[in-house]
Amino acid sequence: MINKLFFFISSLFFCLGISAQNDTIRLISGDQLVGEIKMISEGVLKIETAYSDKDFNIEFNKVKRLVIQRKCLVVLTGNRRRFGYIKSKDIGRITITLDNNVQEEYAISEIIMLKEVRENFFKRFKASIDLSYNFTRANRTQQLSVSGNLNYNSELWRFEADINSLNTNQEDVDQTQRTDASLEFVRLLQKQLYLIGEIPYLSNTEQALDSRISPSLGVGKFIVSTNKLYLGLSTGFTLNIENYSDTTLDKKSTEVFIATTFKIYDVKDFDFVTDLKLYPSISENGRFRTDYNLSLKYDLPLDFYIKLGFTLNYDNKPAIAGNDVDYIFTSGFGWSFN
């Protein structure tokens, strides 16, 4: 009797273990892995198995069959987005079963990104934070740099928040502070188009700028969207609200914005992102502003990473002569979560 009970309990736990880890991938080598597929991003598939304490990272171009038991968000080339269940019926192909039970078939190579759709609203967020601190005995110089990112993705909406802050203290020298942040909302449309709303913020002692808030609204298009490259272009209008340390210089103006973002994928553990924004003024004759950002991140184990960044701000008609250009290099160590 005891043996039968032990056999029943063992079988039950074995079945539960299988049902909890029943995603399947088959590689072009013929090998098969069963586990829980965490995500596909930047040419890499991440899978957790029952017999390993670490996730496996597999080059996605080596995968020829794919079965996922949970509902997923799939981003295809051309930034086509689908929500549904994934199953390979033929080699090199996938079938996506949508909510209305409609089935669509695509080549596996068309997948740019894939991740589980979490029903819990808060679990759809992803965040990261990194910091850097420098201290020198000469002039008792201290420098602290902090940056963070928060983003949310759903079927038709994308939200992203960024902040970068630099604070430098030096004996017998005025304190240097610089903070730039942004909130961005994207609503996906048909034919690779999207609506974009953004609220950038900049505070910069170098340019005697207490605050610059520039809410923008426009439309964009995905020019290139593959599992190797991403290129987006957008344009619209901006209301520029500027407050300076000298309040007599405070002003409001209207601008056109033209922006482009470029990303490179599948460079092992590196992420590369760069974006350029041009702001020709409508209300101020001859004024022209530019914001440029570049970020390079290298992923480490346990969701840690090393990050390098460069930001440049240019204004051909600054409020204070000689402060037309400001730039900053940053480096830091960070952690991403969720």
Side-chain angles (χ1 to χ4, degrees):
M1 181 67 180
I2 296 177
N3 290 338
K4 289 183 178 180
L5 181 61
F6 176 79
F7 176 77
F8 173 77
I9 295 174
S10 300
S11 299
L12 178 62
F13 276 98
F14 178 75
C15 293
L16 289 174
I18 292 177
S19 64
Q21 303 284 337
N22 54 3
D23 297 341
T24 305
I25 62 170
R26 186 177 292 276
L27 307 178
I28 58 177
S29 63
D31 295 332
Q32 178 173 300
L33 288 175
V34 177
E36 181 183 352
I37 295 175
K38 296 297 189 67
M39 65 183 304
I40 299 170
S41 180
E42 300 172 8
V44 175
L45 181 148
K46 181 180 290 187
I47 183 171
E48 178 185 16
T49 65
Y51 49 82
S52 174
D53 60 350
K54 293 184 179 180
D55 296 340
F56 286 103
N57 290 327
I58 299 169
E59 294 181 25
F60 188 56
N61 58 11
K62 302 293 179 60
V63 176
K64 68 176 183 179
R65 284 182 182 269
L66 186 66
V67 176
I68 303 178
Q69 302 297 329
R70 302 170 314 284
K71 189 177 180 182
C72 294
L73 164 63
V74 187
V75 180
L76 304 163
T77 54
N79 205 58
R80 295 166 293 167
R81 292 183 172 226
R82 300 292 187 270
F83 275 81
Y85 296 90
I86 315 299
K87 185 175 183 178
S88 289
K89 296 181 180 179
D90 300 306
I91 294 176
R93 309 286 298 178
I94 59 164
T95 298
I96 304 176
T97 303
L98 307 178
D99 285 339
N100 53 8
N101 289 323
V102 171
Q103 293 187 337
E104 298 179 353
E105 187 174 328
Y106 302 96
I108 286 182
S109 59
E110 293 183 78
I111 296 177
I112 296 176
M113 186 271 287
L114 181 149
K115 64 180 180 179
E116 177 187 356
V117 178
R118 302 185 179 185
E119 300 300 330
N120 187 314
F121 172 79
F122 293 101
K123 288 186 178 180
R124 295 184 180 181
F125 285 90
K126 184 176 181 180
S128 64
I129 185 170
D130 52 86
L131 57 88
S132 173
Y133 177 77
N134 298 301
F135 173 79
T136 59
R137 185 172 181 273
N139 298 324
R140 302 183 65 83
T141 301
Q142 301 180 68
Q143 184 180 72
L144 176 65
S145 174
V146 180
S147 65
N149 172 269
L150 175 69
N151 64 64
Y152 168 87
N153 280 283
S154 68
E155 184 175 6
L156 297 175
W157 288 92
R158 181 173 66 82
F159 162 82
E160 185 165 4
D162 292 282
I163 185 169
N164 296 279
S165 179
L166 175 70
N167 191 313
T168 302
N169 291 293
Q170 186 174 338
E171 199 172 58
D172 300 326
V173 177
D174 291 339
Q175 185 181 50
T176 300
Q177 292 180 322
R178 189 184 194 285
T179 300
D180 65 270
S182 70
L183 296 174
E184 182 181 82
F185 301 87
V186 173
R187 173 61 161 82
L188 301 175
L189 305 174
Q190 296 181 347
K191 299 181 179 180
Q192 301 186 47
L193 297 174
Y194 56 88
L195 294 176
I196 182 170
E198 186 177 14
I199 307 176
Y201 169 86
L202 176 64
S203 175
N204 188 356
T205 54
E206 174 65 21
Q207 295 177 308
L209 186 65
D210 282 349
S211 69
R212 174 188 289 148
I213 302 175
S214 307
S216 304
L217 185 63
V219 63
K221 181 177 177 62
F222 299 102
I223 307 301
V224 178
S225 185
T226 72
N227 56 6
K228 298 291 184 182
L229 298 172
Y230 167 86
L231 177 63
L233 182 66
S234 60
T235 185
F237 297 95
T238 297
L239 174 63
N240 194 25
I241 305 168
E242 297 171 306
N243 296 298
Y244 292 87
S245 52
D246 181 353
T247 57
T248 61
L249 300 176
D250 294 354
K251 57 185 174 181
K252 295 181 181 179
S253 59
T254 54
E255 302 169 321
V256 173
F257 79 84
I258 302 169
T260 182
T261 301
F262 178 65
K263 302 179 182 180
I264 299 178
Y265 302 123
D266 199 17
V267 190
K268 300 301 182 182
D269 292 323
F270 285 96
D271 292 338
F272 175 82
V273 180
T274 183
D275 64 78
L276 174 66
K277 296 178 181 178
L278 309 176
Y279 297 93
S281 181
I282 298 174
S283 58
E284 294 185 79
N285 186 35
R287 187 182 181 188
F288 183 84
R289 296 193 302 112
T290 301
D291 292 337
Y292 175 73
N293 294 282
L294 183 148
S295 175
L296 181 64
K297 187 176 75 170
Y298 179 72
D299 293 329
L300 300 172
L302 302 176
D303 294 325
F304 290 101
Y305 61 86
I306 299 171
K307 183 178 179 182
L308 299 175
F310 172 71
T311 298
L312 181 144
N313 304 108
Y314 171 75
D315 187 344
N316 72 333
K317 290 188 175 182
I320 299 177
N323 291 345
D324 52 344
V325 176
D326 184 46
Y327 60 87
I328 178 174
F329 289 94
T330 59
S331 63
F333 176 79
W335 178 57
S336 60
F337 49 95
N338 201 8

